[in-house]
Amino acid sequence: MGEPRTGNAAFATFIDDTYHTCSPGTTRFYRCTHADDGVPHDPPLSDGYIHHGLEYWNVDPTSTSTTYICGAETTECNGQYNTSGINIAHLTYFDHTFIVGAVCT
């Protein structure tokens, strides 16, 4: 959930071919994004990174009617936002808060 870009175009192609990510009916691998989560925008495209697989994008309130299926690198779904890094949308997925706070020691 909220996966950053993990490799270059060759890596994305390898994942797509290996896990059959061409459609929801055949895929064995997908990404989930939420609203304007900034993490999926990192690292930037300008550094050669690209997303793989299908994206299931959810906006609030969580329901099947507010979850959309998008391609890997689109300007739709999460890609329409100009965000970066960890924000509140990254910490809450499907009405569950995953991280409330952290302390580094």
Side-chain angles (χ1 to χ4, degrees):
M1 294 192 213
E3 179 182 331
R5 294 181 180 108
T6 54
N8 61 14
F11 179 75
T13 299
F14 169 77
I15 294 294
D16 293 342
D17 290 348
T18 301
Y19 296 100
H20 311 287
T21 63
C22 62
S23 76
T26 62
T27 190
R28 298 181 316 189
F29 191 92
Y30 54 87
R31 301 177 301 109
C32 295
T33 62
H34 174 230
D36 65 343
D37 183 350
V39 171
H41 297 264
D42 295 323
L45 290 167
S46 60
D47 287 349
Y49 288 84
I50 189 169
H51 277 301
H52 55 79
L54 292 175
E55 172 188 0
Y56 285 77
W57 177 58
N58 174 255
V59 294
D60 297 323
T62 296
S63 75
T64 55
S65 65
T66 59
T67 302
Y68 306 90
I69 300 171
C70 299
E73 283 293 345
T74 68
T75 56
E76 300 169 349
C77 297
N78 181 266
Q80 69 185 293
Y81 297 99
N82 187 21
T83 58
S84 182
I86 297 172
N87 57 13
I88 193 67
H90 182 69
L91 303 177
T92 306
Y93 268 76
F94 303 106
D95 294 327
H96 291 27
T97 301
F98 290 100
I99 299 174
V100 177
V103 176
C104 295
T105 56

